[in-house]
Tab-separated table of all heavy atoms in Angstrom:
chain	number	residue	atom	x	y	z
A	144	ALA	N	48.136	291.179	-83.292
A	144	ALA	CA	48.061	291.992	-82.082
A	144	ALA	C	49.468	292.452	-81.731
A	144	ALA	O	50.453	291.979	-82.300
A	144	ALA	CB	47.443	291.208	-80.920
A	145	GLY	N	49.548	293.380	-80.795
A	145	GLY	CA	50.857	293.863	-80.374
A	145	GLY	C	50.873	294.130	-78.881
A	145	GLY	O	49.838	294.465	-78.275
A	146	VAL	N	52.049	293.958	-78.289
A	146	VAL	CA	52.243	294.292	-76.879
A	146	VAL	C	52.942	295.646	-76.844
A	146	VAL	O	54.072	295.777	-77.320
A	146	VAL	CB	53.094	293.230	-76.155
A	146	VAL	CG1	53.179	293.558	-74.668
A	146	VAL	CG2	52.513	291.832	-76.356
A	147	ILE	N	52.251	296.655	-76.306
A	147	ILE	CA	52.773	298.018	-76.350
A	147	ILE	C	53.210	298.491	-74.970
A	147	ILE	O	52.678	298.057	-73.945
A	147	ILE	CB	51.749	298.999	-76.948
A	147	ILE	CG1	50.451	299.006	-76.143
A	147	ILE	CG2	51.471	298.642	-78.410
A	147	ILE	CD1	49.470	300.096	-76.563
A	148	ILE	N	54.210	299.377	-74.968
A	148	ILE	CA	54.799	299.894	-73.733
A	148	ILE	C	55.029	301.393	-73.901
A	148	ILE	O	54.736	301.968	-74.941
A	148	ILE	CB	56.131	299.177	-73.399
A	148	ILE	CG1	57.129	299.323	-74.567
A	148	ILE	CG2	55.891	297.697	-73.086
A	148	ILE	CD1	58.513	298.738	-74.282
A	149	HIS	N	55.567	302.017	-72.856
A	149	HIS	CA	55.976	303.424	-72.892
A	149	HIS	C	54.825	304.340	-73.309
A	149	HIS	O	53.684	304.139	-72.901
A	149	HIS	CB	57.190	303.609	-73.804
A	149	HIS	CG	58.397	302.823	-73.398
A	149	HIS	ND1	58.720	302.578	-72.092
A	149	HIS	CD2	59.360	302.206	-74.143
A	149	HIS	CE1	59.829	301.863	-72.034
A	149	HIS	NE2	60.233	301.621	-73.256
A	150	GLU	N	55.120	305.342	-74.145
A	150	GLU	CA	54.122	306.336	-74.536
A	150	GLU	C	52.932	305.725	-75.278
A	150	GLU	O	51.839	306.311	-75.303
A	150	GLU	CB	54.758	307.412	-75.427
A	150	GLU	CG	55.829	308.240	-74.756
A	150	GLU	CD	57.228	307.737	-75.043
A	150	GLU	OE1	57.406	306.497	-75.149
A	150	GLU	OE2	58.139	308.566	-75.169
A	151	SER	N	53.142	304.563	-75.889
A	151	SER	CA	52.067	303.936	-76.660
A	151	SER	C	50.848	303.634	-75.796
A	151	SER	O	49.718	303.566	-76.308
A	151	SER	CB	52.568	302.638	-77.303
A	151	SER	OG	53.679	302.886	-78.133
A	152	ARG	N	51.052	303.468	-74.506
A	152	ARG	CA	49.916	303.230	-73.589
A	152	ARG	C	48.897	304.352	-73.681
A	152	ARG	O	47.705	304.136	-73.499
A	152	ARG	CB	50.416	303.161	-72.140
A	152	ARG	CG	50.987	301.831	-71.698
A	152	ARG	CD	51.309	301.892	-70.213
A	152	ARG	NE	50.130	302.243	-69.447
A	152	ARG	CZ	49.301	301.377	-68.877
A	152	ARG	NH1	49.522	300.083	-69.002
A	152	ARG	NH2	48.259	301.789	-68.188
A	153	PHE	N	49.382	305.563	-73.947
A	153	PHE	CA	48.511	306.731	-73.922
A	153	PHE	C	47.965	307.093	-75.301
A	153	PHE	O	46.994	307.844	-75.403
A	153	PHE	CB	49.274	307.934	-73.358
A	153	PHE	CG	49.969	307.646	-72.056
A	153	PHE	CD1	51.351	307.634	-71.982
A	153	PHE	CD2	49.245	307.369	-70.908
A	153	PHE	CE1	52.002	307.368	-70.786
A	153	PHE	CE2	49.884	307.105	-69.713
A	153	PHE	CZ	51.266	307.097	-69.648
A	154	THR	N	48.580	306.586	-76.362
A	154	THR	CA	48.225	307.057	-77.706
A	154	THR	C	47.563	306.005	-78.591
A	154	THR	O	47.126	306.332	-79.696
A	154	THR	CB	49.492	307.585	-78.422
A	154	THR	OG1	50.465	306.535	-78.508
A	154	THR	CG2	50.103	308.752	-77.661
A	155	TYR	N	47.454	304.757	-78.141
A	155	TYR	CA	46.924	303.712	-79.023
A	155	TYR	C	45.496	303.976	-79.504
A	155	TYR	O	45.165	303.617	-80.643
A	155	TYR	CB	47.038	302.319	-78.365
A	155	TYR	CG	46.040	302.042	-77.275
A	155	TYR	CD1	44.793	301.492	-77.558
A	155	TYR	CD2	46.351	302.313	-75.947
A	155	TYR	CE1	43.876	301.242	-76.552
A	155	TYR	CE2	45.436	302.071	-74.941
A	155	TYR	CZ	44.203	301.535	-75.241
A	155	TYR	OH	43.288	301.284	-74.249
A	156	PRO	N	44.609	304.629	-78.714
A	156	PRO	CA	43.270	304.885	-79.256
A	156	PRO	C	43.302	305.787	-80.495
A	156	PRO	O	42.429	305.683	-81.370
A	156	PRO	CB	42.539	305.561	-78.092
A	156	PRO	CG	43.257	305.087	-76.868
A	156	PRO	CD	44.689	305.023	-77.294
A	157	GLN	N	44.301	306.661	-80.587
A	157	GLN	CA	44.424	307.539	-81.742
A	157	GLN	C	44.737	306.759	-83.019
A	157	GLN	O	44.567	307.273	-84.118
A	157	GLN	CB	45.508	308.590	-81.493
A	157	GLN	CG	45.251	309.478	-80.285
A	157	GLN	CD	46.462	310.310	-79.904
A	157	GLN	OE1	47.373	310.511	-80.711
A	157	GLN	NE2	46.485	310.799	-78.670
A	158	HIS	N	45.207	305.532	-82.862
A	158	HIS	CA	45.523	304.667	-84.000
A	158	HIS	C	44.373	303.715	-84.322
A	158	HIS	O	44.538	302.804	-85.145
A	158	HIS	CB	46.805	303.878	-83.716
A	158	HIS	CG	48.024	304.734	-83.576
A	158	HIS	ND1	48.970	304.849	-84.569
A	158	HIS	CD2	48.446	305.527	-82.560
A	158	HIS	CE1	49.922	305.676	-84.171
A	158	HIS	NE2	49.628	306.096	-82.951
A	159	GLY	N	43.245	303.907	-83.658
A	159	GLY	CA	42.090	303.059	-83.919
A	159	GLY	C	42.215	301.664	-83.353
A	159	GLY	O	41.545	300.731	-83.827
A	160	LEU	N	43.063	301.486	-82.339
A	160	LEU	CA	43.299	300.156	-81.773
A	160	LEU	C	42.475	299.952	-80.506
A	160	LEU	O	42.080	300.905	-79.830
A	160	LEU	CB	44.788	299.974	-81.473
A	160	LEU	CG	45.716	300.077	-82.697
A	160	LEU	CD1	47.165	299.955	-82.276
A	160	LEU	CD2	45.362	299.030	-83.739
A	161	THR	N	42.247	298.692	-80.184
A	161	THR	CA	41.435	298.299	-79.040
A	161	THR	C	42.273	297.496	-78.053
A	161	THR	O	43.056	296.632	-78.457
A	161	THR	CB	40.241	297.432	-79.503
A	161	THR	OG1	39.436	298.194	-80.400
A	161	THR	CG2	39.406	296.970	-78.319
A	162	GLN	N	42.100	297.755	-76.782
A	162	GLN	CA	42.820	296.981	-75.770
A	162	GLN	C	42.207	295.598	-75.608
A	162	GLN	O	41.001	295.460	-75.438
A	162	GLN	CB	42.795	297.709	-74.434
A	162	GLN	CG	43.481	296.938	-73.306
A	162	GLN	CD	43.429	297.679	-71.989
A	162	GLN	OE1	43.756	298.847	-71.900
A	162	GLN	NE2	42.987	296.990	-70.946
A	163	VAL	N	43.069	294.585	-75.698
A	163	VAL	CA	42.643	293.204	-75.464
A	163	VAL	C	42.857	292.839	-74.000
A	163	VAL	O	41.988	292.238	-73.352
A	163	VAL	CB	43.419	292.228	-76.371
A	163	VAL	CG1	42.968	290.791	-76.129
A	163	VAL	CG2	43.274	292.608	-77.838
A	164	LEU	N	44.028	293.190	-73.464
A	164	LEU	CA	44.360	292.837	-72.082
A	164	LEU	C	45.417	293.793	-71.554
A	164	LEU	O	46.357	294.144	-72.259
A	164	LEU	CB	44.887	291.402	-72.005
A	164	LEU	CG	45.292	290.895	-70.619
A	164	LEU	CD1	44.058	290.722	-69.731
A	164	LEU	CD2	46.059	289.578	-70.705
Side-chain angles (χ1 to χ4, degrees):
V146 184
I147 59 172
I148 57 175
H149 300 326
E150 296 97 325
S151 302
R152 278 185 57 94
F153 310 113
T154 59
Y155 75 89
Q157 300 168 19
H158 296 256
L160 299 177
T161 299
Q162 178 181 310
V163 180
L164 179 69

